[in-house]
Amino acid sequence: MFRNYLKVAIRNLFKRKVFTLINILGLATGMTVCLMIILFIRDELSYDNFQKNGDRIYRVVLERKYPGRSTFYADIPVSIGGAMQKEFPEVAVSTGLQDFSGKSNFILKIDDRIFEEKNVFLADSNFFRVFPTTLLEGDTSIALGKPNMTVINESTAKRLFGSTANALGKTFEMDGGNLRFQISGVCRDWPDNSHMQFNILLSANTFPAQKNYINFSTYTYLLLNKEASPASLEAKFPTIVDKYVSGDIARGFGETFRQFLAAGNGYHYYMQPLRKIHLISDLEGELRPNGSMRAVYIFGVIVIFILAIACINFVNLSTARSMERAKEVGIRKTFGSEKKSLIFQFLLESVLVSLFSTLLSLLLILILLPLFNKLSGKQLSVSGFLNPLTVFCLLAFGILVGLLAGLYPAFVLSSFQPIKVLKGRFQSNKYGRALRNGLVVFQFAISIILIICTITVNRQMGYMLGDKLGFKKDHIIEIEGTGFLDEKAIAFRNELGRISGVEKVSGASAMPGQLGFWGVTWQPVGSREPMTGRGVLVDDQFATTLDLQLSEGRFFSNAYATDSLSLVLNEKAVAAMGLKEPVVGTRLFSMDQVFNGRSDSPKIYKVVGVMKDFHFQTLHQAIEPLVLSNAAIFHGIMPITSVRIKGDDFKTAIAAIEQTWKKFVPKRPFHYTFLDQTLAEQYRAEQTIQRVFTVFSVLAICIACIGLLGLAAYATQQRIREISIRKILGASAGSIIGMLSKDFLRLVTISAFVAFPLAWWAMHSWLQGFAYRVDLSWWIFLVAWLIAILITLATISFQAIKAAMANPVKTLRSE
């Protein structure tokens, strides 16, 4: 019996090739989008799942409270982890990582060969106790126990020594550091789905750290005992601040801990579960750009929406053929077919279409996955689809989609009354029309929501990467590693300035979008109110290179012999210190150990200028107080050199810059990045959302248009006699087209009113993640509605024009 049903189903599908092909393409497109997003979501949720004790590992992070604001840090003082292990029995072991490569990477020498490595960290002897790893060579229990020992990963071993076996016991020299490290272990490369990646781990015992509880430098992880309660442990963290941190605060800030807290300061430590760091953490100093749980939720909703649109298409296209299938049902019922057998027949056809669509979607995924990887910034693979369980789930998925899409058409088509159908008196009931109209409203509500979201996300990204940052970011490159130039740094910058394609050259300890804007505390002379903000060292050309704007005074200049003790403040710093005009001439002293250390008679610095605020951090954060200090205090030796290039001839200018670099540093590789690319990298998660929204909005609209086309064909079929009579009575083609279009335009307008509040809520919530954001202007909603209207008119115009131009006499005769 089933074989007979299957033959009939296949025959029906092949009999209506165009209809079948459209249905398969519509479902396959929806399934392809859904499966690729599911791959993306699965990868996002898999971060750090490979860690054996991942459910018991937590990272300790910090909310540093300042008067009127807070900053959240991924790295914390080096001694906090050890104090927690000592004080709390819930902590089995703690370990810390310190980034040793930084922006300039790590240069090592093996004989006369020089290598440049990224992801180099200092790690203590507890690292492999917290993160158990099987070494290909060596023993984890001793690998990092002594000074000058190092563990490298498999790819680094092959790159440096050709194989993992050759690496064990070999040594390399840290260029410029007069240190030699012996390789005591080789481990497998960690999977990419980890919030941290390392190539080289250097023993932290090589650089013994002094006790420190207030300066941030270390990524700290705790392995908890099996019976420990994370919430109970976290509640005890204030005791660490009271016992260990308060003393350093009193010594470093010159006030009691009680005074420190009363001024609005504070240290609030809390924990992040290891396996959630990638999706929940967006702190300052993250080891890698993280994902976003919000993006996972958004993409999950898109999966549901796209699949719903694809299933709705199937329903609409099936009902569009109801007139044709009604006669078939009438004849089959006349010959004794029962309703349940007809339902089974129609469901079988639906499931077959869905299974064909599933197979086609897998083929499309094979073709489109590289493009999707580029779109999402992932390295997803179809290998996850090749195991038996996944194949079974895909088949079940195809059957389920087929049943969901075909359920309503099966019951509707099987319920036709044969007497009415065969006498030609078949009409669609009002409930069926209401459902179809409701489905179209649902489809276009989703499409309008996606259009509004796409416009808003693109506007926000344009704002974040646009020209309202307070400085000019275009045509600027950042040369890494210039701190190694030592006393040649100024000469190097001067020679770059003589290159014909170079407009400006400057040196700095950090550039906008980087992490080098460290915490500083300044206090006006005669005041007892310190101001904690951000600091950066810059030379006298930094402001002109970035085109920063002054609101008072001047920037640094070599024309002033005493400018090494000068400062330039941003407007936020002036407001935070409560300085009155004129600000220029105000004397400040540093309470940190960054420049001169804490002493009884600290150096006095003078404010020479006030600059307008600019976004040196991401737009997720409010602009903080910023103090520019003169690089002359360090004789102009800065780790980063920025160069503004004239015009668009980058190739020639960069080639000349590289030749100059080789002249000064012949044995070090030349590296540079574009400032605008550095800034864009801060918003990787947002850029992924932007690209995905744009592409999937277009796909959702295309899929919805297929369903609208089916409904237009159905409506035209239902009203073909009315149209013919109207034409005979003198109705014009334009009025016929208007009559057929207005119902759909009304549905789209209803869709807009459904979509507007939902889209506003979704985008308003998303924009709250930015301290600086665009407005949800009314015109965005109007544009989305107009786009939907134009798409609707373009979709139904073919059917409307065809009906309006048909010969009414021929139509009525056939009726």
PDB file of all heavy atoms in Angstrom, residues 30-42:
ATOM      1  N   GLY A  30      15.415  28.008   2.713  1.00  0.00           N
ATOM      2  CA  GLY A  30      15.181  28.195   4.144  1.00  0.00           C
ATOM      3  C   GLY A  30      15.984  27.228   4.985  1.00  0.00           C
ATOM      4  O   GLY A  30      16.575  27.611   6.008  1.00  0.00           O
ATOM      5  N   MET A  31      16.027  25.967   4.578  1.00  0.00           N
ATOM      6  CA  MET A  31      16.791  24.958   5.333  1.00  0.00           C
ATOM      7  C   MET A  31      18.284  25.270   5.314  1.00  0.00           C
ATOM      8  O   MET A  31      18.979  25.086   6.330  1.00  0.00           O
ATOM      9  CB  MET A  31      16.554  23.572   4.747  1.00  0.00           C
ATOM     10  CG  MET A  31      15.181  22.994   5.039  1.00  0.00           C
ATOM     11  SD  MET A  31      15.055  21.342   4.324  1.00  0.00           S
ATOM     12  CE  MET A  31      13.464  20.832   4.970  1.00  0.00           C
ATOM     13  N   THR A  32      18.789  25.718   4.173  1.00  0.00           N
ATOM     14  CA  THR A  32      20.215  26.033   4.071  1.00  0.00           C
ATOM     15  C   THR A  32      20.595  27.126   5.054  1.00  0.00           C
ATOM     16  O   THR A  32      21.589  27.019   5.783  1.00  0.00           O
ATOM     17  CB  THR A  32      20.562  26.471   2.638  1.00  0.00           C
ATOM     18  OG1 THR A  32      20.231  25.420   1.729  1.00  0.00           O
ATOM     19  CG2 THR A  32      22.042  26.783   2.511  1.00  0.00           C
ATOM     20  N   VAL A  33      19.800  28.184   5.077  1.00  0.00           N
ATOM     21  CA  VAL A  33      20.055  29.278   6.016  1.00  0.00           C
ATOM     22  C   VAL A  33      20.007  28.762   7.453  1.00  0.00           C
ATOM     23  O   VAL A  33      20.890  29.049   8.267  1.00  0.00           O
ATOM     24  CB  VAL A  33      19.029  30.405   5.809  1.00  0.00           C
ATOM     25  CG1 VAL A  33      19.160  31.451   6.912  1.00  0.00           C
ATOM     26  CG2 VAL A  33      19.205  31.050   4.447  1.00  0.00           C
ATOM     27  N   CYS A  34      18.979  27.966   7.754  1.00  0.00           N
ATOM     28  CA  CYS A  34      18.815  27.461   9.120  1.00  0.00           C
ATOM     29  C   CYS A  34      19.979  26.566   9.532  1.00  0.00           C
ATOM     30  O   CYS A  34      20.528  26.708  10.638  1.00  0.00           O
ATOM     31  CB  CYS A  34      17.505  26.690   9.239  1.00  0.00           C
ATOM     32  SG  CYS A  34      16.050  27.733   9.108  1.00  0.00           S
ATOM     33  N   LEU A  35      20.372  25.659   8.663  1.00  0.00           N
ATOM     34  CA  LEU A  35      21.441  24.722   9.019  1.00  0.00           C
ATOM     35  C   LEU A  35      22.776  25.435   9.188  1.00  0.00           C
ATOM     36  O   LEU A  35      23.570  25.096  10.079  1.00  0.00           O
ATOM     37  CB  LEU A  35      21.548  23.625   7.967  1.00  0.00           C
ATOM     38  CG  LEU A  35      20.375  22.626   7.937  1.00  0.00           C
ATOM     39  CD1 LEU A  35      20.503  21.659   6.759  1.00  0.00           C
ATOM     40  CD2 LEU A  35      20.284  21.848   9.245  1.00  0.00           C
ATOM     41  N   MET A  36      23.035  26.438   8.353  1.00  0.00           N
ATOM     42  CA  MET A  36      24.296  27.176   8.504  1.00  0.00           C
ATOM     43  C   MET A  36      24.301  27.982   9.799  1.00  0.00           C
ATOM     44  O   MET A  36      25.320  28.058  10.484  1.00  0.00           O
ATOM     45  CB  MET A  36      24.532  28.075   7.293  1.00  0.00           C
ATOM     46  CG  MET A  36      24.974  27.311   6.049  1.00  0.00           C
ATOM     47  SD  MET A  36      25.701  28.332   4.742  1.00  0.00           S
ATOM     48  CE  MET A  36      24.293  29.339   4.283  1.00  0.00           C
ATOM     49  N   ILE A  37      23.170  28.570  10.132  1.00  0.00           N
ATOM     50  CA  ILE A  37      23.113  29.311  11.404  1.00  0.00           C
ATOM     51  C   ILE A  37      23.230  28.352  12.579  1.00  0.00           C
ATOM     52  O   ILE A  37      23.860  28.670  13.593  1.00  0.00           O
ATOM     53  CB  ILE A  37      21.814  30.134  11.491  1.00  0.00           C
ATOM     54  CG1 ILE A  37      21.793  31.211  10.409  1.00  0.00           C
ATOM     55  CG2 ILE A  37      21.698  30.794  12.859  1.00  0.00           C
ATOM     56  CD1 ILE A  37      20.546  32.061  10.420  1.00  0.00           C
ATOM     57  N   ILE A  38      22.649  27.164  12.449  1.00  0.00           N
ATOM     58  CA  ILE A  38      22.772  26.162  13.520  1.00  0.00           C
ATOM     59  C   ILE A  38      24.232  25.763  13.694  1.00  0.00           C
ATOM     60  O   ILE A  38      24.723  25.596  14.829  1.00  0.00           O
ATOM     61  CB  ILE A  38      21.888  24.936  13.211  1.00  0.00           C
ATOM     62  CG1 ILE A  38      20.405  25.301  13.402  1.00  0.00           C
ATOM     63  CG2 ILE A  38      22.248  23.759  14.107  1.00  0.00           C
ATOM     64  CD1 ILE A  38      19.441  24.250  12.920  1.00  0.00           C
ATOM     65  N   LEU A  39      24.970  25.611  12.581  1.00  0.00           N
ATOM     66  CA  LEU A  39      26.403  25.334  12.666  1.00  0.00           C
ATOM     67  C   LEU A  39      27.115  26.455  13.420  1.00  0.00           C
ATOM     68  O   LEU A  39      27.978  26.203  14.271  1.00  0.00           O
ATOM     69  CB  LEU A  39      27.004  25.191  11.267  1.00  0.00           C
ATOM     70  CG  LEU A  39      26.851  23.851  10.549  1.00  0.00           C
ATOM     71  CD1 LEU A  39      27.429  23.946   9.138  1.00  0.00           C
ATOM     72  CD2 LEU A  39      27.549  22.736  11.316  1.00  0.00           C
ATOM     73  N   PHE A  40      26.755  27.691  13.101  1.00  0.00           N
ATOM     74  CA  PHE A  40      27.357  28.852  13.748  1.00  0.00           C
ATOM     75  C   PHE A  40      27.061  28.847  15.247  1.00  0.00           C
ATOM     76  O   PHE A  40      27.961  29.020  16.075  1.00  0.00           O
ATOM     77  CB  PHE A  40      26.827  30.132  13.100  1.00  0.00           C
ATOM     78  CG  PHE A  40      27.280  31.398  13.768  1.00  0.00           C
ATOM     79  CD1 PHE A  40      28.469  32.000  13.401  1.00  0.00           C
ATOM     80  CD2 PHE A  40      26.521  31.998  14.772  1.00  0.00           C
ATOM     81  CE1 PHE A  40      28.889  33.170  14.017  1.00  0.00           C
ATOM     82  CE2 PHE A  40      26.927  33.160  15.395  1.00  0.00           C
ATOM     83  CZ  PHE A  40      28.122  33.750  15.010  1.00  0.00           C
ATOM     84  N   ILE A  41      25.788  28.633  15.595  1.00  0.00           N
ATOM     85  CA  ILE A  41      25.394  28.648  17.010  1.00  0.00           C
ATOM     86  C   ILE A  41      26.076  27.511  17.764  1.00  0.00           C
ATOM     87  O   ILE A  41      26.554  27.701  18.892  1.00  0.00           O
ATOM     88  CB  ILE A  41      23.859  28.554  17.134  1.00  0.00           C
ATOM     89  CG1 ILE A  41      23.201  29.825  16.601  1.00  0.00           C
ATOM     90  CG2 ILE A  41      23.443  28.310  18.581  1.00  0.00           C
ATOM     91  CD1 ILE A  41      21.690  29.766  16.565  1.00  0.00           C
ATOM     92  N   ARG A  42      26.119  26.323  17.147  1.00  0.00           N
ATOM     93  CA  ARG A  42      26.761  25.185  17.804  1.00  0.00           C
ATOM     94  C   ARG A  42      28.234  25.478  18.079  1.00  0.00           C
ATOM     95  O   ARG A  42      28.770  25.130  19.150  1.00  0.00           O
ATOM     96  CB  ARG A  42      26.615  23.933  16.942  1.00  0.00           C
ATOM     97  CG  ARG A  42      27.106  22.669  17.642  1.00  0.00           C
ATOM     98  CD  ARG A  42      26.819  21.430  16.827  1.00  0.00           C
ATOM     99  NE  ARG A  42      27.656  21.364  15.640  1.00  0.00           N
ATOM    100  CZ  ARG A  42      27.690  20.325  14.803  1.00  0.00           C
ATOM    101  NH1 ARG A  42      26.908  19.285  15.016  1.00  0.00           N
ATOM    102  NH2 ARG A  42      28.478  20.325  13.746  1.00  0.00           N
TER     103      ARG A  42
END
